[in-house]
Amino acid sequence: MLGDDEDVFDSVTWESPSAPATYEGASAGLSGPGFRQSTAESEDGRDPHDPKWEGYLITSVKDPVKELAETKDAYVSYLVSAKTNLPIFSTPNPSARRRFQDFVFLRTHLAKDFPACVVPPLPDKHRLEYVTGDRFSPEFMERRRLDLHRFLQRLARHPTLQRSTLLRAFFESTEWHVIMHQHVAHPPVPEQSSGVIDSISDSLLNAFSRVRKPDERFLAMRESVDKFEEGVALSERLYNRVRNRTNDGNPEPGEDLTGDYHDLAVAVQGLGFLESGITDPLNHFSNTLLEFSALLRHTTQVTTDPFLVHLHSLLQYSHANRAVLKLRDQKQMDFEELSEYLSAVTAERDRLAAVISGRAGSTGLGLGAYIKDKVDALRGQDDDRARVERMRKLDAKIKELQDAVTTAHETSDAFSDETLREQKIFQRAKEAEMKEMLGNYADGQIEFYKAAMEEWERIIPIIQRIRVDV
């Protein structure tokens, strides 16, 4: 049941005791990329911003099934399952069936509940590259299954998100719709009540679009994110070009390698009809070209396309990381703007105090103060009683602003600390995904070239049997 014990940014015990654990990816066995192999390391020399783990969570998404198939409300459900030793779970092997909208709810509310965490994005509902057919076609469902599988893997690789009660309910609950309604009605992070910062005009808060005193650590992080995203975007464009030159996806022969090899096979077969003495070898050679063309097309579908989808997904994941950095900057800007506002109100209060005491006139406090006094005089508000009343209100405002500045400062510092920890988590997850992604691509290329070599090796003895009279 979700309630006040939700593991969120404001209430989670970040320095929780660690316990021995082992992690893995989607495959069987208790090892894999992106997971800390043990949490029992020594505390000596440990960076305070290093994340701590309480256990492992191994997730999978499989078995897409079309529900309510003959109705207008048809949808696809997926079997989500996990293997875990996290104490928050009531069973080590939870499982449930969920639809895409359930994943959307999970992602949306995790982002709200954990604003300092890089919550991975979901695949766009209508954007699945290189997939033909409607949303109930096998190709579409399989591609979406892989995307949702990757989404849950990323959550499982996060030491905070993996322990959220909402994620636990996602895997365990048999009354998920009740859980969703309860979570909306009683969110673990209460809505922020309107305070001092909400009463300040937008023109004040938006006067500066950048942090006035930037932290070099976060500037370096932003620069690193920029370079990473630039490199991923360039790689995506280049691999797209390679893909389109290899197989443009058109079933008809086109201006790509698969089409060229198909056309070459037809041309060689035509030669076989003309060269009666070597018709059979030429036909075999033509068949080899056709097989090679089919191999190229197959490699594009099972290796290149998934690689491109994963590459684009990694870019979107990095965008989510950028959003957390931007939110951290906003927290600092809130503190800076409140501090500036407090200084302005305090200066106004000191000006009035100086005028009342007679120690200084308006002329000594600048043109703006002089004009303000003259306007007050024209309104009949130049008497000391009006000034005293204004000072009383300003004193109350100063006290309110001082509390708000203190809160904003604490929030900014806490958010900065969480962001530093989050960057280490994201860096490890990113490296693990790149290792997995590049490894899968390399394995696919190896399989392709092995199969291609076998095809060409089979044709060599046939070609060598061609008799050449000297």
Side-chain angles (χ1 to χ4, degrees):
M1 189 68 67
L2 296 175
D4 295 336
D5 63 340
E6 172 68 292
D7 188 5
V8 297
F9 171 61
D10 290 330
S11 62
V12 67
T13 304
W14 298 99
E15 299 301 325
S16 53
S18 57
T22 308
Y23 299 87
E24 75 161 19
S27 59
L30 295 179
S31 63
F35 295 90
R36 295 291 297 276
Q37 299 302 311
S38 174
T39 59
E41 58 189 61
S42 172
E43 294 294 322
D44 296 336
R46 185 180 182 275
D47 191 317
H49 295 122
D50 281 344
K52 285 189 175 181
W53 303 82
E54 290 189 357
Y56 64 82
L57 177 63
I58 307 162
T59 63
S60 68
V61 179
K62 53 189 176 183
D63 189 25
V65 174
K66 185 178 180 181
E67 310 280 2
L68 305 177
E70 303 303 324
T71 69
K72 63 181 180 63
D73 298 321
Y75 64 92
V76 178
S77 70
Y78 303 86
L79 177 64
V80 297
S81 58
K83 181 186 297 183
T84 182
N85 67 350
L86 289 169
I88 192 173
F89 285 85
S90 60
T91 174
N93 297 288
S95 65
R97 295 205 71 88
R98 299 287 181 250
R99 59 186 298 183
F100 184 76
Q101 289 304 318
D102 298 330
F103 284 86
V104 173
F105 181 91
L106 175 66
R107 198 274 166 192
T108 300
H109 287 271
L110 284 178
K112 290 180 180 179
D113 299 346
F114 299 89
C117 292
V118 180
V119 181
L122 276 171
D124 187 89
K125 190 171 183 178
H126 303 291
R127 187 181 189 271
L128 287 179
E129 302 91 337
Y130 322 121
V131 177
T132 58
D134 61 23
R135 63 192 181 101
F136 297 116
S137 67
E139 295 83 2
F140 187 96
M141 290 192 294
E142 175 60 16
R143 182 58 53 80
R144 171 156 288 174
R145 183 197 68 79
L146 289 172
D147 288 337
L148 297 177
H149 176 79
R150 185 176 299 119
F151 168 73
L152 288 185
Q153 271 192 324
R154 288 169 173 170
L155 293 181
R157 285 173 174 165
H158 197 291
T160 301
L161 298 178
Q162 66 169 200
R163 294 183 285 116
S164 72
T165 55
L166 187 61
L167 184 62
R168 178 201 67 194
F170 184 80
F171 281 104
E172 291 186 348
S173 178
T174 57
E175 298 180 341
W176 174 246
H177 289 288
V178 176
I179 294 293
M180 288 194 293
H181 287 301
Q182 289 177 342
H183 198 82
V184 172
H186 306 286
V189 180
E191 294 293 331
Q192 296 291 329
S193 58
S194 59
V196 174
I197 198 168
D198 298 311
S199 65
I200 304 176
S201 65
D202 291 339
S203 61
L204 173 63
L205 288 180
N206 296 328
F208 298 92
S209 59
R210 293 186 178 181
V211 174
R212 297 182 186 182
K213 296 180 180 179
D215 189 317
E216 292 296 329
R217 297 172 299 175
F218 298 107
L219 287 177
M221 289 178 187
R222 181 68 64 88
E223 182 180 359
S224 176
V225 169
D226 289 341
K227 292 180 178 179
F228 174 73
E229 291 185 355
E230 181 181 352
V232 172
L234 176 60
S235 299
E236 185 182 17
R237 287 197 300 271
L238 293 175
Y239 274 108
N240 261 309
R241 187 187 305 170
V242 171
R243 184 217 184 264
N244 291 333
R245 288 176 175 176
T246 304
N247 179 18
D248 62 7
N250 190 343
E252 298 297 326
E255 294 184 359
D256 57 32
L257 278 176
T258 57
D260 290 342
Y261 277 109
H262 180 276
D263 294 343
L264 181 58
V266 174
V268 171
Q269 189 178 42
L271 284 176
F273 295 120
L274 299 176
E275 301 294 332
S276 57
I278 55 174
T279 299
D280 187 61
L282 287 175
N283 285 338
H284 279 85
F285 194 87
S286 174
N287 291 335
T288 300
L289 289 170
L290 289 174
E291 289 294 332
F292 187 71
S293 175
L295 270 176
L296 280 173
R297 185 175 292 107
H298 176 74
T299 301
T300 298
Q301 294 170 351
V302 302
T303 299
T304 308
D305 288 353
F307 175 78
L308 281 168
V309 172
H310 198 163
L311 199 60
H312 184 78
S313 176
L314 191 59
L315 183 60
Q316 297 299 107
Y317 197 12
S318 182
H319 291 343
N321 180 45
R322 176 189 292 276
V324 169
L325 289 173
K326 184 177 180 181
L327 185 56
R328 191 222 68 87
D329 288 349
Q330 184 61 54
K331 298 297 182 184
Q332 183 176 340
M333 284 191 287
D334 289 344
F335 165 66
E336 291 176 345
E337 297 302 334
L338 279 172
S339 299
E340 183 72 16
Y341 187 37
L342 173 60
S343 297
V345 174
T346 302
E348 173 65 9
R349 193 264 183 207
D350 292 343
R351 183 188 73 83
L352 288 176
V355 172
I356 291 174
S357 66
R359 295 193 306 271
S362 297
T363 54
L365 295 173
L367 179 61
Y370 174 79
I371 294 175
K372 182 174 179 58
D373 276 351
K374 291 301 180 183
V375 172
D376 289 345
L378 291 175
R379 291 176 176 174
Q381 297 178 353
D382 58 335
D383 60 320
D384 286 346
R385 284 184 301 176
R387 290 192 179 99
V388 169
E389 178 62 20
R390 286 177 58 197
M391 282 184 59
R392 185 186 65 79
K393 292 181 178 179
L394 287 175
D395 283 337
K397 175 64 72 175
I398 288 171
K399 178 63 172 65
E400 186 181 7
L401 280 170
Q402 286 173 338
D403 293 341
V405 167
T406 300
T407 300
H409 186 222
E410 292 172 351
T411 300
S412 177
D413 285 349
F415 210 97
S416 294
D417 287 341
E418 293 307 325
T419 302
L420 290 172
R421 185 179 290 109
E422 199 65 22
Q423 294 310 299
K424 293 199 171 186
I425 295 171
F426 178 76
Q427 182 66 24
R428 289 172 179 168
K430 180 181 69 176
E431 290 172 356
E433 286 206 22
M434 294 183 69
K435 177 181 178 181
E436 176 189 355
M437 177 179 66
L438 296 174
N440 289 340
Y441 185 80
D443 288 341
Q445 293 298 312
I446 290 171
E447 291 300 319
F448 164 72
Y449 284 108
K450 281 183 177 179
M453 286 178 62
E454 290 176 0
E455 289 294 333
W456 290 112
E457 285 173 350
R458 278 197 289 267
I459 194 64
I460 290 177
I462 298 175
I463 296 175
Q464 289 176 340
R465 286 200 294 266
I466 298 176
R467 296 182 59 182
V468 180
D469 296 329
V470 179

